[in-house]
Amino acid sequence: MDYPELSEEILPLVGGSQNIASYTNCMTRLRLNLHDPSKADVAALRRLTGVMGVVDGPQLQVVVGPGHAQRLRDAFAEVVDAPAEAPVDDPDDEVADIAAAAAGSRATGARASGGGEPVDAVTDLRTLQQENTQKVKSRHTSRVHGLFRHIANIFVPIIPGFIACGLVVAIGNIWKLIDPGVAANPWFLVFAALGTIVVASLNLIVGLNTAKEFGGTPVLGLIAGAISYLPALAGIAATTAADGTVTPAQPLVLPLFGELKPALGGIIGVMVTAWLFTVIEKWIRKRVPAWADLFVVPVVTLLVGAVICIFVIMPISGLLMQGINWLLIDFALERGGVIGGYLLSSLFLPLVMLGIHQGLTPIHAQLITDHGFTELLPVLAMAGAGEVGMAIAIFLKTKSTRLKNIIRAALPIGVLGVGEPLIYGVSLPLFYPLITACLGGGFGGAFVAFGIQASGGFGAGALGLSGVLMTAVITNGAWLWYVGGLVISYIMGFVLTWFFGFKEHMVERLG
């Protein structure tokens, strides 16, 4: 793609620099905030080489796909006379664009060899996915859904770091299996340390992103993320002098709660504290004269916020984290075993459609921070594998060329762990296949839960990967358990859909 040329072509079609209030990008789109959206020639923009699609509106979005958006933004900056904004993240849009890009690359090959049908399938898939996604999202209007959207906006920018560091850890583990002696090499230790960067600094990153999300000063959010992790919260340890005199430990003790310790409350506490900092900062700024802003607002925000964090947020969020861990790990997986694993996996897709699955992200992040992996993620990933089995069954059973082409476009990226195209483009419109996919994925979840018990514990060492790609970050050498779960989910999703989930007349539901 010729980014400078494409930038030159886009500019006049959106009304020139004078019509652009500002511009930014996400992972897959160049986003232009226009003074007058009516001046944009959307039809002409869609015909430009390299443009996958255009979303019209006050913020006009030019879809170019992953790997291209940032490069196009950099080239666009050279030709436009308008202010740039920080990149943004929209997880739902980005998933749709990645799916379409993957399918589109295959369609391009088919068209070059003389077939044009897959290109129509990509458009069809994208239309179905967007229509059904919007229908589902239109119901996500409660404050709870708003909270989960904030959580997603906080964690989505961290996912590339999780993936990078997780893969470094995976490479290091494989390296040690091949050459155990390398663990004594100091340069290898430097390499291995690269894989710990995100986990070691997660509280600071989350605090920073939370402040950005809620309109606070980023550095104050970073400070908020550090408060509950201060080593001084451990108090003073017991010491023994040279003459044998013992000075007893002096822990920090809160009334009703008990002893404080660093990291109490975890990532949830960090998010609440950073949010509180933004509330305090805005409240004080309204009441302080401008000349005193720089000296008064930050220090009062820090002192007041730190007191509330230590005496209120840390104890309460600590109890909350203990309760969540007990419910999902101790009760559902350790005590529930295969039954708990089945229920967690089979119910996960409904959680995705309800928009509340994003609330699990801080839990995954905290589990990785605490002991290096999250047991939940491999179990929940089986839900997507059930979708893959469902799709294969429908592909082989249906006589509809249109449905076959839609599945052909969505299936490969579903195997890689991006399940939304299959959910919103296939199973949700047909409905009953969604049920059989959920039930089929539950069997894989049960198998993985059994493997966690039988092997002594394993999980995913990083966020952001699913499907077959998660195999690379499965910890403790237990990847065969995970692969076994994928295969079982594929098979059971296939079998249940073939016999119970799909009838040919359901194709009419696609519209």
Side-chain angles (χ1 to χ4, degrees):
M1 185 182 297
D2 190 330
Y3 305 106
E5 180 180 345
L6 182 57
S7 299
E8 295 279 3
E9 292 173 338
I10 290 174
L11 188 58
L13 295 178
V14 297
S17 294
Q18 65 274 16
N19 193 37
I20 301 176
S22 63
Y23 66 94
T24 183
N25 70 287
C26 62
M27 187 186 299
T28 57
R29 307 180 181 199
L30 176 67
R31 297 172 178 246
L32 310 175
N33 297 308
L34 303 182
H35 293 296
D36 184 359
S38 66
K39 293 183 179 180
D41 189 341
V42 175
L45 285 168
R46 289 190 174 120
R47 291 194 295 268
L48 295 178
T49 301
V51 173
M52 297 170 54
V54 177
V55 179
D56 198 4
Q59 186 188 71
L60 187 138
Q61 302 172 21
V62 182
V63 184
V64 290
H68 298 296
Q70 182 64 52
R71 292 176 171 86
L72 179 59
R73 175 221 171 98
D74 293 341
F76 194 73
E78 300 296 324
V79 301
V80 69
D81 182 18
E85 296 179 352
V88 298
D89 295 279
D90 190 327
D92 294 317
D93 287 345
E94 289 167 3
V95 165
D97 295 341
I98 290 169
S105 64
R106 296 188 301 279
T108 300
R111 181 167 51 188
S113 61
E117 199 171 21
V119 178
D120 295 334
V122 173
T123 304
D124 203 6
L125 169 63
R126 186 177 182 84
T127 301
L128 280 170
Q129 184 183 348
Q130 289 181 340
E131 289 177 353
N132 287 291
T133 299
Q134 290 304 317
K135 288 179 183 178
V136 173
K137 288 176 68 176
S138 66
R139 302 186 183 100
H140 297 173
T141 57
S142 69
R143 292 186 177 182
V144 174
H145 288 114
L147 171 63
F148 291 140
R149 280 194 293 271
H150 285 306
I151 291 175
N153 292 338
I154 291 167
F155 279 92
V156 165
I158 310 175
I159 287 177
F162 267 117
I163 294 174
C165 291
L167 291 177
V168 168
V169 171
I171 293 170
N173 290 336
I174 295 172
W175 195 346
K176 286 190 291 185
L177 287 175
I178 297 173
D179 180 13
V182 75
N185 187 308
W187 285 110
F188 175 81
L189 297 180
V190 173
F191 173 80
L194 294 176
T196 67
I197 291 174
V198 166
V199 171
S201 58
L202 185 61
N203 57 307
L204 303 178
I205 301 171
V206 169
L208 182 74
N209 286 356
T210 303
K212 290 180 178 179
E213 175 66 15
F214 291 100
T217 300
V219 71
L220 291 179
L222 187 144
I223 293 171
I227 291 174
S228 60
Y229 284 74
L230 290 173
L233 292 174
I236 300 175
T239 59
T240 302
D243 60 0
T245 303
V246 177
T247 302
Q250 301 179 51
L252 298 176
V253 180
L254 294 180
L256 301 178
F257 177 77
E259 188 174 322
L260 275 177
K261 58 181 180 180
L264 181 66
I267 297 302
I268 290 180
V270 167
M271 288 191 295
V272 176
T273 302
W275 167 80
L276 177 67
F277 268 45
T278 66
V279 174
I280 296 172
E281 178 187 0
K282 293 175 182 178
W283 188 88
I284 296 172
R285 180 161 285 124
K286 292 179 181 179
R287 291 160 176 80
V288 171
W291 62 265
D293 186 288
L294 184 61
F295 304 99
V296 175
V297 174
V299 68
V300 174
T301 299
L302 171 59
L303 294 177
V304 175
V307 169
I308 298 175
C309 171
I310 293 171
F311 288 93
V312 180
I313 295 174
M314 287 180 65
I316 294 177
S317 57
L319 293 174
L320 178 61
M321 284 297 300
Q322 290 177 15
I324 293 173
N325 283 338
W326 176 84
L327 178 64
L328 296 178
I329 305 299
D330 299 340
F331 180 75
L333 287 184
E334 293 185 4
R335 297 185 187 181
V338 295
I339 296 176
Y342 185 93
L343 291 175
L344 286 172
S345 180
S346 60
L347 294 175
F348 184 63
L349 290 184
L351 291 181
V352 171
M353 290 184 295
L354 289 172
I356 59 178
H357 65 294
Q358 295 160 342
L360 294 174
T361 305
I363 309 303
H364 295 312
Q366 190 63 54
L367 290 171
I368 293 173
T369 301
D370 289 344
H371 50 95
F373 58 85
T374 167
E375 302 96 320
L376 286 173
L377 211 51
V379 174
L380 300 179
M382 296 302 110
E387 283 278 315
V388 170
M390 171 276 300
I392 295 172
I394 295 176
F395 182 84
L396 296 178
K397 193 173 183 180
T398 186
K399 298 176 182 178
S400 168
T401 302
R402 179 192 178 197
L403 184 53
K404 283 181 179 288
N405 287 336
I406 291 172
I407 294 173
R408 185 182 290 115
L411 184 59
I413 199 166
V415 173
L416 297 179
V418 181
E420 282 81 352
L422 285 175
I423 296 173
Y424 295 111
V426 180
S427 62
L428 181 59
L430 301 178
F431 184 65
Y432 286 104
L434 177 65
I435 297 175
T436 54
C438 291
L439 296 176
F443 287 95
F447 181 81
V448 173
F450 174 76
I452 290 173
Q453 290 184 326
S455 67
F458 67 86
L463 299 179
L465 296 175
S466 191
V468 297
L469 294 180
M470 190 187 288
T471 308
V473 295
I474 295 297
T475 61
N476 299 337
W479 59 272
L480 280 175
W481 285 106
Y482 178 75
V483 172
L486 287 177
V487 173
I488 290 173
S489 296
Y490 295 158
I491 293 172
M492 295 308 298
F494 178 95
V495 170
L496 292 176
T497 303
W498 184 274
F499 289 104
F500 307 107
F502 177 75
K503 303 297 181 183
E504 192 64 32
H505 66 83
M506 295 178 184
V507 177
E508 298 174 3
R509 297 174 183 170
L510 294 177

